[in-house]
Amino acid sequence: MRPSHLFRGLCLAAGLLLAPLIARAEDGHELWLRYRPVEASAAGAYRASVGAVAPVADTPTLKLARAELERGLAGLLGERRDGGGEILLGTPKSSPRIAALKLPLETAGDEGFRIRTLADGGRPLTVIAANTDVGVLHGVYRYLALIQTRQAVDRLDLLDAPKVRYRLLNHWDNLDRSVERGYAGQSIWDWWRLPDVKDPRYVDYARANASIGINGAVLNNVNAKSDSLTAPYIAKAAALADAFRPYGIKVYLSARFSSPIEIGGLKTADPLDPAVRAFWKAKADEIYKAIPDFGGFLVKANSEGQPGPQDYGRTHADGANMLAQAVGPHGGIVMWRAFVYSHEQPDDRAKQGYSEFKPFDGQFAENVIVQVKNGAIDFQPREPFHPLFGAMPKTNLGMEFQITKEYLGFSTHLAYLGTMWEEVLKADTFAAGRGSTVAKVVDGKLHGCSRTLMAGVANIGSDRNWSGSQFDQANWYAFGRLAWDPEASSEAVARDWAAMTFTPDRRFTGPAVKMMMGSREAVVDYMTPMGLHHLMGRSHHYGPGPWVAGGERADWTSVYYHKADKAGIGFDRTAKGSDAVAQYAPPVAAAFSDLSKVDEKDLLWFHHLPWDYRTRSGRPLWDELVIRYSRGVKAVDGMQATWSDLSPYVDAERHGEVATYLAIQYREAQWWRDASVAYFQSINGLPLPKGEAPPPLSLEAYEAIAFPYAPGI
Ligand code: BDP
């Protein structure tokens, strides 16, 4: 053998030996469903207890549940699993063997499951049973996740069921494939080629959602076009519904309130007009003919210029109930958004949703859910919980979170939102005494409501990695998990996600989860510390804009929210100010109003204070603000260092992408800090605390930075 051949041969052999040790290149497309081989040290034990998958009844969902299990186990443990055991899946109805086991399944409901390991004459037998096929599918994903996260599966008795009934993604996707507030490419719905071309991604999408328990998708933007409700678009939606159905995902549509005029040939959309009511009834019938399990309508009405019942002197309840009557006979629901603030209303914008909806408590039809954003302004990096939670005991009230990061740096900033959502869900409304958490409103326990809803504004687009960044996948994942169980721990969810998406190696998950858990607080610090809010660039919402003033409406400006002047800063929402606090239950209102009790994270949301106000650190407010801005920047620096150390555990492609994004985030965190400090310093004229670097540019230079082509508008 010539020496060069020998060398090449040795290299090849070494390469083959080392190949399994070197993480292979990945682009994130597989999400948390990668099913990479379990390391040899753990695989043996799994193989002994995980057996062959028994045949299932011939239904679409059971067949794909079985295929998913086979696919997952083959990836994780290889084709040969010779422990001699067996895995049995199905429902008592479809499987006599499962029926014979008489497993208690009542509490599994329509979508939950029971996983139990039994010994069948000495052979390990794992049973994944449910009342419905889709429950079995959920059980399969859970079972695989146990192995993906390296938990034991040899002695299981696990029952789980979703605590929230409607767990929905809201796509703000337009018919031209642009996505409002989307930072992950175009819409994944190729409306133009639908219904003929069925992109395999539609199935992948449904699969990913089913794996985290999401059971519905509103396909189109809340700023809706009536065209979505015309026959050609109903056919397109029906094709998507067909792709999603085996995964237990239903399709919903945003409905434009003025559709009777635009596509129905009527002169009015007055909800009490018989012709209008007939239009919606016929429209609902038409949709259900094409999509028998259509979920219902989502409506943004009399909000930000959208048409609604108030255009005819009618109420939100009139509008919602009319639509509810149209879809009700088919089992559909109406999700009516409470995100409203009117043009005429000069009141504090934070108060308007409550003021408009609270009076109608008890007047909405049984199949209407009022969909409320987590906070009273608009998806800011931090907001106190919306005062409507707990305030409408006779109304179905659903939660709306924003998964896409419109106000948290788009897809290039790493911000794990699980912590934000957990903070809101754990907040105590005191609606029925201590312990009346938002989670208990959302899961229906507090007021005994069964039409429960959690909606998340999707961050999904046509990008290969689905969400625009690797770590934004965690927000999609966490949304699904928290919708399933609003009392879940965001840290446990992050750990599962990190293990499944990258590696369960604790040397990775430990630091990675720590980084995720602190990431949203870092954004709060470098963008809007201490309760500041709504300070971003006008319209595109990208980058700092604390100077934004003037224009169409005061409550679209930053100065409206921070109210900074020479003397102080903050929005007084106590009784001396707008009295927004009065919308909360008395103990909550008292705590928010009291400077000695209010959490400093909400300080300037509720109080207008002098710049020299002494904060809990002992520092004057101005110094504390600047220090927090800088702390946010430093936190991103720390995230970069953590990520750099984690390179041995992550494939080069994804590691590199995250590192590049973190570099963008660091640069932009610094920009947020500098521009904000420059602006507020121009107002108060105060020196920076010792050791704090002055902003490198003039305020004018920061103000001049423009983004005419920012995505998502
Ligand atoms: C705001 C977004 C806007 C949405 C609106 C909504 O900037 O694009 O249409 O929310 O939720 O945050 O309707």
Side-chain angles (χ1 to χ4, degrees):
M1 196 184 275
R2 293 226 313 262
S4 65
H5 284 178
L6 179 65
F7 180 71
R8 254 192 278 159
L10 285 174
C11 288
L12 190 68
L16 285 176
L17 283 174
L18 288 174
L21 304 177
I22 300 171
R24 49 191 247 218
E26 296 190 46
D27 59 13
H29 187 71
E30 294 171 277
L31 298 162
W32 47 87
L33 300 170
R34 294 159 56 253
Y35 304 137
R36 290 291 180 274
V38 171
E39 55 289 348
S41 55
Y46 282 119
R47 285 199 193 103
S49 55
V50 174
V53 186
V56 291
D58 189 19
T59 72
T61 302
L62 285 178
K63 278 197 299 193
L64 72 84
R66 182 173 193 274
E68 185 75 34
L69 187 56
E70 287 284 12
R71 173 180 176 174
L73 293 177
L76 289 158
L77 303 172
E79 298 294 345
R80 286 189 46 232
R81 300 182 300 277
D82 35 23
E86 190 184 16
I87 310 182
L88 185 61
L89 24 153
T91 62
K93 238 170 58 206
S94 65
S95 157
R97 280 181 72 195
I98 289 189
L101 291 171
K102 295 198 181 355
L103 294 176
L105 285 173
E106 299 78 42
T107 46
D110 286 344
E111 295 183 283
F113 53 84
R114 172 157 230 139
I115 308 179
R116 186 178 273 186
T117 42
L118 304 158
D120 184 20
R123 286 170 82 210
L125 172 69
T126 303
V127 186
I128 304 178
N131 295 314
T132 62
D133 290 0
V134 81
V136 175
L137 180 63
H138 290 151
V140 162
Y141 283 115
R142 177 64 56 81
Y143 184 70
L144 289 169
L146 291 173
I147 303 177
Q148 288 173 284
T149 56
R150 303 296 185 269
Q151 298 174 63
V153 295
D154 55 344
R155 253 178 258 168
L156 294 174
D157 186 9
L158 193 162
L159 183 127
D160 200 11
K163 291 188 189 157
V164 173
R165 180 158 165 195
Y166 302 97
R167 306 176 300 280
L168 264 53
L169 288 182
N170 288 184
H171 288 265
W172 286 359
D173 295 19
N174 298 315
L175 302 182
D176 63 2
R177 262 192 117 164
S178 61
V179 181
E180 183 156 339
R181 313 309 179 181
Y183 314 105
Q186 287 192 297
S187 168
I188 52 170
W189 321 134
D190 187 350
W191 292 112
W192 188 252
R193 295 192 182 97
L194 277 165
D196 302 272
V197 178
K198 296 174 182 74
D199 189 330
R201 248 187 130 158
Y202 304 150
V203 172
D204 296 345
Y205 164 87
R207 172 175 172 250
N209 277 329
S211 76
I212 50 175
I214 288 169
N215 66 1
V218 182
L219 300 175
N220 59 321
N221 193 350
V222 285
N223 297 316
K225 296 271 186 226
S226 306
D227 308 70
S228 298
L229 302 179
T230 58
Y233 281 92
I234 292 172
K236 293 167 195 281
L240 291 174
D242 291 343
F244 301 169
R245 189 167 296 111
Y247 288 91
I249 317 273
K250 284 187 184 174
V251 147
Y252 298 73
L253 290 170
S254 291
R256 184 167 165 87
F257 200 77
S258 52
S259 298
I261 303 172
E262 288 145 10
I263 59 169
L266 299 180
K267 294 237 150 28
T268 176
D270 181 347
L272 299 192
D273 185 297
V276 171
R277 300 179 82 85
F279 165 87
W280 283 110
K281 193 185 168 309
K283 190 47 77 185
D285 294 348
E286 181 189 352
I287 295 173
Y288 277 95
K289 217 163 151 210
I291 313 172
D293 54 355
F294 178 64
F297 293 127
L298 170 65
V299 187
K300 172 175 178 177
N302 293 120
S303 161
E304 300 188 326
Q306 293 299 316
Q310 293 173 350
D311 304 349
Y312 308 94
R314 312 298 184 193
T315 68
H316 286 297
D318 292 332
N321 293 347
M322 170 197 60
L323 291 175
Q325 214 175 47
V327 294
H330 303 282
I333 58 167
V334 171
M335 293 157 291
W336 193 269
R337 296 177 84 225
F339 175 67
V340 296
Y341 55 100
S342 84
H343 275 271
E344 296 77 36
Q345 186 72 263
D347 206 359
D348 176 2
R349 178 167 148 191
K351 291 170 69 179
Q352 295 182 34
Y354 179 102
S355 306
E356 277 200 40
F357 276 82
K358 165 86 181 155
F360 295 107
D361 187 26
Q363 293 183 38
F364 288 96
E366 178 280 326
N367 59 333
V368 171
I369 305 176
V370 173
Q371 182 169 313
V372 184
K373 287 189 183 182
N374 58 276
I377 297 293
D378 200 354
F379 296 141
Q380 298 303 294
R382 167 165 283 128
E383 297 194 31
F385 70 92
H386 200 299
L388 276 173
F389 290 108
M392 294 184 74
K394 291 181 279 191
T395 304
N396 305 317
L397 220 63
M399 170 65 81
E400 179 178 318
F401 285 129
Q402 192 179 44
I403 310 172
T404 189
K405 301 206 311 298
E406 174 181 358
Y407 298 98
L408 289 97
F410 296 5
S411 55
T412 37
H413 290 210
L414 196 163
Y416 173 56
L417 302 180
T419 49
M420 166 154 99
W421 301 333
E422 182 176 21
E423 178 179 300
V424 173
L425 290 164
K426 284 205 167 133
D428 199 339
T429 69
F430 278 85
R434 190 181 293 279
S436 308
T437 60
V438 172
K440 291 207 164 67
V441 178
V442 173
D443 72 16
K445 281 199 201 84
L446 194 68
H447 305 306
C449 133
S450 66
R451 296 254 193 212
T452 51
L453 161 76
M454 198 186 290
V457 180
N459 65 350
I460 296 160
S462 58
D463 280 4
R464 276 286 298 168
N465 67 22
W466 298 89
S467 302
S469 80
Q470 305 300 331
F471 274 85
D472 274 324
Q473 296 178 356
N475 293 327
W476 176 9
Y477 178 87
F479 169 76
R481 291 281 306 270
L482 287 171
W484 181 277
D485 178 6
E487 289 175 329
S489 137
S490 66
E491 185 167 1
V493 168
R495 200 173 308 117
D496 286 351
W497 175 81
M500 289 157 73
T501 304
F502 292 104
T503 165
D505 191 322
R506 280 165 202 242
R507 288 166 299 177
F508 173 81
T509 54
V513 169
K514 196 159 167 247
M515 171 176 83
M516 289 169 77
M517 293 303 288
S519 58
R520 174 267 188 150
E521 202 63 48
V523 176
V524 170
D525 275 346
Y526 64 71
M527 287 188 182
T528 49
M530 305 191 85
L532 290 175
H533 49 287
H534 208 289
L535 303 184
M536 61 288 150
R538 199 195 283 275
S539 149
H540 50 64
H541 299 165
Y542 177 69
W547 47 80
V548 170
E552 246 179 281
R553 348 177 8 135
D555 54 6
W556 284 357
T557 68
S558 302
V559 296
Y560 172 89
Y561 294 100
H562 63 63
K563 303 212 183 305
D565 59 17
K566 185 101 186 121
I569 182 169
F571 200 126
D572 186 356
R573 295 194 163 104
T574 68
K576 296 189 280 59
S578 80
D579 204 21
V581 290
Q583 296 182 334
Y584 291 95
V588 180
F592 285 156
S593 303
D594 184 341
L595 277 173
S596 72
K597 294 212 179 98
V598 66
D599 196 316
E600 277 190 344
K601 66 185 173 27
D602 296 325
L603 189 65
L604 302 174
W605 185 283
F606 291 114
H607 297 272
H608 185 86
L609 295 167
W611 293 105
D612 63 358
Y613 170 80
R614 201 138 294 272
T615 61
R616 284 182 202 145
S617 65
R619 288 186 282 264
L621 176 58
W622 168 237
D623 289 17
E624 184 66 25
L625 273 175
V626 176
I627 280 163
R628 290 196 189 206
Y629 272 118
S630 301
R631 186 173 79 182
V633 183
K634 273 189 217 113
V636 182
D637 184 49
M639 285 157 68
Q640 286 185 288
T642 300
W643 189 249
S644 163
D645 290 348
L646 292 176
S647 68
Y649 306 102
V650 183
D651 52 285
E653 189 175 348
R654 288 188 298 168
H655 190 271
E657 186 189 300
V658 174
T660 304
Y661 282 17
L662 282 170
I664 297 173
Q665 183 175 7
Y666 180 75
R667 196 175 66 225
E668 295 186 350
Q670 187 71 55
W671 164 44
W672 263 96
R673 180 261 178 205
D674 290 337
S676 306
V677 167
Y679 170 76
F680 288 124
Q681 204 175 21
S682 79
I683 303 283
N684 63 21
L686 293 168
L688 295 181
K690 245 216 205 72
E692 285 290 337
L697 304 181
S698 69
L699 175 59
E700 293 68 36
Y702 290 114
E703 289 189 27
I705 303 175
F707 300 95
Y709 308 112
I713 309 174

